[in-house]
Amino acid sequence: MLKGKHIILGITGGIAAYKSVSLLRLLVKAGAEVQVVITPAGKEFITPVTLSALSGKPVVSEFFTANTGEWHSHVDLGLWADCMVIAPATASSIAKMANGVADNMLITTYLSAKSPVFIAPAMDLDMMAHPSTRRNIEALRSYGNHIIEPESGFLASGLIGKGRMEEPEKIVEVLDRFFEKIENQSLAGKKVLITAGPTYEAIDPVRFIGNYSSGKMGYALAAEAARRGAEVVLVSGPVSLPAPEGNVTRVDVTSAREMLTACEKVFDEADVAIFCAAVADYAPEHVADHKIKRGDMPEMTLKLVRNPDIAATLGARRHGGQTLVGFALETDDEMVNGRSKLERKHLDMVVINSMRDAGAGFSGDTNKITVVTAAGDEKSFPLKSKTEVAADIIDCIENISR
Ligand code: C5P
């Protein structure tokens, strides 16, 4: 998969830079065109001569060549690349990337990169475990960067622990699998309906009952399904996100009833329906046509009536060729509640996330999920960015639709 790919190999100043030479060789052997960008500290560990000889290109390190004044454009490099790999990534470079401290050519290139970025941290175990490093790595993950977690083993300090840069062969495998996935058009010809975001149930012209859903998970699913070639209809509650790129028709709705009506229009033709929206279970029975005044009322009662359950309503009229997926955001008894939703709503798969897991749920950029299927399979995934979680969910859907 790496043949002809344009790869920026970023090297920072850590002992593991010696492994970057093997990584470079493997990438070149796999047919990739590699441009090395090295930090000033990186050059203390490995020489540009070795790297330029192996890559067949001058190594970039400074903003311009001192004797000629030739400017090295990090913007052009960022546009040229199909991917950028930073290996090793030291604690210092990770902190700079996480915070946009563009004080060398490598960090400016990272900030300009339009392509996917892979980061392979390498450092001593205590630096790796430090809360600031963990926070910076999580920030990078939340920006959509791919973290290639270090292994545990012997470290240059003589200590044993987590911090050894992943082996070059494994890094190449990660890249290979990534390109295999992004070039995959496995959903070409399929129609996918996705609900996303919250619903707002009006109380009066200026007030509503809503929830904290950001819509990020549903939008990430829409982007991933479109990337795999699907025709996507994204029925979205009120969110402040731009529509995903590609073949995505976004239908904006406000209330649960509007969401159901919009879904009913496309459901029968959908091959896959993913009910990701956080739909309000109840809505005010009457919507006041004027703003309700505070007046002297010491208390106020709002009568709520049940909203339609979109997933269950459509699940009840599903046809055989469809794959239906629901979500279960739970605070307790996650697995039991998740499984009961599978049956009640006639779903093929439920994605369970727990409010008890740090980093999972509504408004963040990360999620931690367990998938259960009607066939009885169960799979848990570690904390990942919502973009990566979306790819995992769609992989699971493709597996059960086969
Ligand atoms: O029962 P609960 O609301 O927890 O179920 C969550 C799942 O059902 C999600 O997939 C959600 O999108 C869907 N749902 C729905 N309509 C509702 C309530 C939930 O489609 N009124």
Side-chain angles (χ1 to χ4, degrees):
M1 299 306 298
L2 298 180
K3 197 166 175 7
K5 292 287 182 304
H6 292 172
I7 298 179
I8 298 174
L9 173 58
I11 302 177
T12 71
I15 301 285
Y18 77 91
K19 289 191 191 172
S20 311
V21 178
S22 315
L23 178 57
L24 172 56
R25 287 207 58 168
L26 291 170
L27 293 172
V28 170
K29 203 166 150 211
E33 215 180 297
V34 185
Q35 173 63 61
V36 176
V37 181
I38 191 165
T39 62
K43 288 191 284 188
E44 305 288 334
F45 291 86
I46 182 92
T47 74
V49 178
T50 310
L51 299 164
S52 69
L54 291 174
S55 64
K57 286 180 190 295
V59 169
V60 174
S61 181
E62 311 301 334
F63 290 108
F64 54 87
T65 307
N67 54 352
T68 62
E70 185 200 349
W71 170 248
H72 302 146
S73 169
H74 50 89
V75 178
D76 288 351
L77 260 181
L79 292 173
W80 169 84
D82 295 308
C83 85
M84 179 169 189
V85 192
I86 299 155
T90 57
S92 159
S93 288
I94 286 172
K96 288 182 191 176
M97 288 190 282
N99 294 287
V101 182
D103 68 350
N104 66 45
M105 184 66 185
L106 174 51
I107 310 293
T108 42
T109 306
Y110 162 76
L111 292 173
S112 308
K114 293 260 187 225
S115 65
V117 178
F118 294 80
I119 297 166
M123 64 198 77
D124 199 47
L125 76 164
D126 294 316
M127 294 172 81
M128 187 68 206
H130 195 280
S132 67
T133 308
R134 293 314 314 170
R135 189 197 56 209
N136 289 331
I137 288 179
E138 287 324 312
L140 293 176
R141 208 191 296 277
S142 74
Y143 306 156
N145 297 159
H146 303 263
I147 308 296
I148 305 178
E149 288 287 346
E151 289 182 295
S152 282
F154 279 106
L155 302 169
S157 59
L159 299 172
I160 298 174
K162 185 170 172 172
R164 261 172 75 97
M165 187 177 98
E166 183 55 284
E167 294 305 324
E169 291 76 8
K170 292 266 178 60
I171 296 178
V172 171
E173 253 175 61
V174 169
L175 299 180
D176 209 52
R177 254 184 284 131
F178 175 80
F179 282 111
E180 197 176 346
K181 269 193 173 172
I182 63 166
E183 282 164 26
N184 151 9
Q185 289 288 294
S186 48
L187 292 178
K190 302 278 184 206
K191 194 157 184 170
V192 178
L193 165 66
I194 300 174
T195 68
T199 64
Y200 286 179
E201 312 298 332
I203 298 171
D204 69 14
V206 295
R207 302 185 180 94
F208 60 85
I209 294 175
N211 59 66
Y212 294 121
S213 170
S214 63
K216 286 178 185 167
M217 193 64 249
Y219 276 59
L221 283 162
E224 180 62 17
R227 212 196 40 64
R228 294 192 195 191
E231 179 190 342
V232 179
V233 179
L234 174 62
V235 179
S236 173
V239 297
S240 52
L241 295 172
E245 281 172 21
N247 194 0
V248 180
T249 307
R250 169 172 164 175
V251 183
D252 287 313
V253 297
T254 305
S255 67
R257 286 185 182 279
E258 284 172 23
M259 189 173 270
L260 175 60
T261 307
C263 289
E264 280 175 326
K265 289 192 183 136
V266 286
F267 179 72
D268 291 339
E269 301 127 55
D271 299 288
V272 176
I274 310 177
F275 302 105
C276 188
V279 184
D281 291 323
Y282 290 87
E285 185 179 34
H286 300 292
V287 182
D289 49 10
H290 292 96
K291 183 181 169 195
I292 300 171
K293 298 276 189 300
R294 179 166 23 151
D296 291 331
M297 289 186 292
E299 57 183 43
M300 180 187 161
T301 305
L302 204 55
K303 185 168 179 201
L304 304 179
V305 291
R306 225 186 150 80
N307 262 336
D309 186 319
I310 300 166
T313 309
L314 298 177
R317 67 174 229 215
R318 61 175 297 166
H319 58 77
Q322 292 178 308
T323 304
L324 307 193
V325 179
F327 273 69
L329 176 62
E330 303 292 343
T331 52
D332 45 73
D333 283 337
E334 292 83 357
M335 298 310 288
V336 176
N337 290 332
R339 287 200 180 282
S340 93
K341 264 163 224 177
L342 259 183
E343 289 170 28
R344 255 188 303 126
K345 305 192 186 204
H346 307 280
L347 305 174
D348 300 288
M349 188 174 118
V350 165
V351 180
I352 300 170
N353 41 50
S354 171
M355 290 298 277
R356 288 192 285 187
D357 286 329
F362 264 174
S363 43
D365 291 311
T366 55
N367 208 354
K368 185 168 183 298
I369 59 159
T370 298
V371 167
V372 292
T373 70
D377 297 327
E378 187 179 312
K379 191 168 179 189
S380 293
F381 295 84
L383 185 74
K384 296 188 181 189
S385 71
K386 285 187 173 168
T387 309
E388 292 171 300
V389 172
D392 288 338
I393 292 172
I394 295 187
D395 283 346
C396 293
I397 294 174
E398 289 188 8
N399 281 337
I400 58 174
S401 323
R402 268 197 195 115

